[in-house]
């Protein structure tokens, strides 16, 4: 159960945060000053406060203010709240990586594209985006590996992820008390999971070497 919840939270966060982060990065680079400053302020707040605090606020505060919790009861409600908190948090981190990658592409390449008659959309997707992907793979891989470990924070709202499941054996929730080996097993799980991701991102970087 714990392993499946961890994998689901990891996958849902990536599916939501990767595209949302790109949208947020456009807001951070917008020429419309109010939008740019609003977006950067939100990113600053999210990146400057602990994910655990954000998770607690999203899960508990709406219920206190509205009189009843907006989240479904049981495990599904806790998972939904955790997913939203993780998506918002990681979208803000990803947005800064996207922004750095986009702004690292020389302006001269965009000017050359305009001279050749390309539209701004064509320049972004055919020139800027492909080069940006190669440059952001290392920092993105670091954030994604961090995400694997951060899923353990969801236990603060009693979401039954891997660490929660391992700790349950220690405190006797499954009819056994004082068992420590499940906690070490959760560590092995994270090591194997992150080891697989490290190998995957290493192969992706090699595939993108043609942009050198």
């Amino acid at each position: 159960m714990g392993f499946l919840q961890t994998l689901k939270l990891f996958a849902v966060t990536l599916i939501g945060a990767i595209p949302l982060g790109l949208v947020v990065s456009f807001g951070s680079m917008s020429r419309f000053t109010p939008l740019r400053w609003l977006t950067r302020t939100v990113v600053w707040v999210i990146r400057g406060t602990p994910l655990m605090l954000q998770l607690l606020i999203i899960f508990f505060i709406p219920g206190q203010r509205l009189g009843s919790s907006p989240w479904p009861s049981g495990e599904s409600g806790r998972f939904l709240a955790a997913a939203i908190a993780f998506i918002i948090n990681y979208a803000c981190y990803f947005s800064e990586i996207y922004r750095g990658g986009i702004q690292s592409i020389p302006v001269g390449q965009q000017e050359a594209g305009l001279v050749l008659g390309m539209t701004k959309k064509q320049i972004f997707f055919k020139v800027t985006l492909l080069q940006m992907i190669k440059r952001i793979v290392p920092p993105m891989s670091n954030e994604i590996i961090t995400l694997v470990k951060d899923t353990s924070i969801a236990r603060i709202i009693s979401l039954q992820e891997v660490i929660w499941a391992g700790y349950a054996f220690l405190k006797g929730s499954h009819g056994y008390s004082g068992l420590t080996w499940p906690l070490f097993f959760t560590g092995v799980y994270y090591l194997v999971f992150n080891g697989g991701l490290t190998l995957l991102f290493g192969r992706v970087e090699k595939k993108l070497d043609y942009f050198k």
Side-chain angles (χ1 to χ4, degrees):
M1 178 65 177
F3 296 107
L4 292 178
Q5 286 289 60
T6 296
L7 287 173
K8 280 173 59 181
L9 184 57
F10 172 78
V12 169
T13 300
L14 284 187
I15 292 171
I18 288 176
L20 180 59
L22 187 59
V23 173
V24 174
S25 71
F26 290 148
S28 298
M29 297 183 292
S30 174
R31 294 181 180 178
F32 184 55
T33 303
L35 175 61
R36 183 174 69 252
W37 281 108
L38 175 62
T39 305
R40 291 189 179 185
T41 299
V42 172
V43 171
W44 172 66
V45 171
I46 295 298
R47 294 176 71 211
T49 55
L51 174 56
M52 183 183 294
L53 177 61
Q54 297 163 21
L55 184 56
L56 290 171
I57 290 173
I58 287 177
F59 185 67
F60 290 109
I61 297 301
Q64 292 181 352
R65 296 302 180 188
L66 299 175
S68 62
S69 177
W71 311 114
S73 60
E75 193 75 3
S76 60
R78 290 191 287 270
F79 180 84
L80 180 59
I84 291 175
F86 273 72
I87 288 172
I88 293 174
N89 182 276
Y90 272 86
C92 289
Y93 279 95
F94 289 164
S95 72
E96 289 298 283
I97 296 174
Y98 288 139
R99 185 167 69 90
I102 292 172
Q103 293 179 339
S104 69
I105 307 300
V107 178
Q109 295 190 19
Q110 300 178 29
E111 295 173 347
L114 292 173
V115 170
L116 293 172
M118 298 175 68
T119 64
K120 290 184 178 181
K121 183 178 180 181
Q122 289 175 325
I123 292 172
F124 178 77
F125 284 103
K126 295 184 178 181
V127 178
T128 304
L129 183 61
L130 295 177
Q131 295 182 74
M132 179 199 76
I133 290 174
K134 174 175 174 52
R135 298 186 183 198
I136 69 173
V137 166
M140 284 289 283
S141 64
N142 285 337
E143 288 297 328
I144 291 173
I145 287 173
T146 300
L147 168 60
V148 174
K149 295 177 288 184
D150 277 354
T151 55
S152 62
I153 296 175
R155 69 183 295 269
I156 196 67
I157 59 171
S158 299
L159 184 68
Q160 298 181 25
E161 45 70 57
V162 173
I163 298 293
W164 186 95
Y167 181 65
F169 284 94
L170 183 64
K171 65 180 183 179
S173 298
H174 294 313
Y176 302 94
S177 180
L179 294 181
T180 57
W181 66 263
L183 287 177
F184 290 102
F185 183 72
T186 62
V188 173
Y189 166 81
Y190 285 114
L191 282 172
V192 172
F193 196 168
N194 284 328
L197 288 175
T198 300
L199 292 175
L200 174 63
F201 285 120
R203 297 192 64 177
V204 170
E205 286 189 59
K206 288 183 179 180
K207 290 287 184 180
L208 295 173
D209 279 345
Y210 57 81
F211 282 120
K212 287 184 178 180

